[in-house]
Amino acid sequence: TIGPPPPSPDETKAISNMARIMNQVGKIALEEYGIKTGVHNHVDGLIENPRQIDQLMEETDPRYFNLSPDTAQIWMGGGDPLRMLEKYKRRIVYIHYKDIRAYHRGLKGYLDNVIELGRGILDFPAMHRILKSVGYRGWITIDLDNARISPLESAKVQREYIDEVLAPIYA
């Protein structure tokens, strides 16, 4: 993958402003509604790469604001999903499992590189073990942006992977 560009003063300031606001929003969401909040990283957004995620996590209060990562988006942002999940495993409040072939920013056709779980390069059993290590019981969304086979066949492939590979980890 290609790493993130160097930070700019505007980016650093924007993330700091976001952190301040997210702490406030997260506090209200938790204390008044019992809802945990977290950022969902995404390429071409303010929070897309490891440096940006790290800054936001460092500047937010884990009681009020956390992480809702997308595994393929971490990869596309130049990060390692395993390292990111391990680093913030106690702050994950929701997660998208999305597999990808060896995509990087220089490769055309992002949608052609997202693939069914277990058919790409990401290590979901290791990620699942990280989540289990902290007793994670939140939502895991299986995310696929573009099925190259029929949606039904894609769902069957992913369900089989979940049943045969991931479910036994939590059993």
Side-chain angles (χ1 to χ4, degrees), residues 21-37:
I21 293 166
M22 291 300 97
N23 278 327
Q24 294 169 0
V25 168
K27 185 174 188 206
I28 292 167
L30 184 62
E31 291 178 354
E32 294 187 24
Y33 302 101
I35 298 170
K36 293 181 178 181
T37 58

Side-chain angles (χ1 to χ4, degrees), residues 93-113:
V93 294
Y94 171 75
I95 188 168
H96 279 193
Y97 273 6
K98 184 189 317 182
D99 211 347
I100 193 160
R101 295 188 251 211
Y103 174 90
H104 58 82
R105 284 179 184 251
L107 181 64
K108 299 292 182 208
Y110 153 64
L111 289 178
D112 292 333
N113 289 289

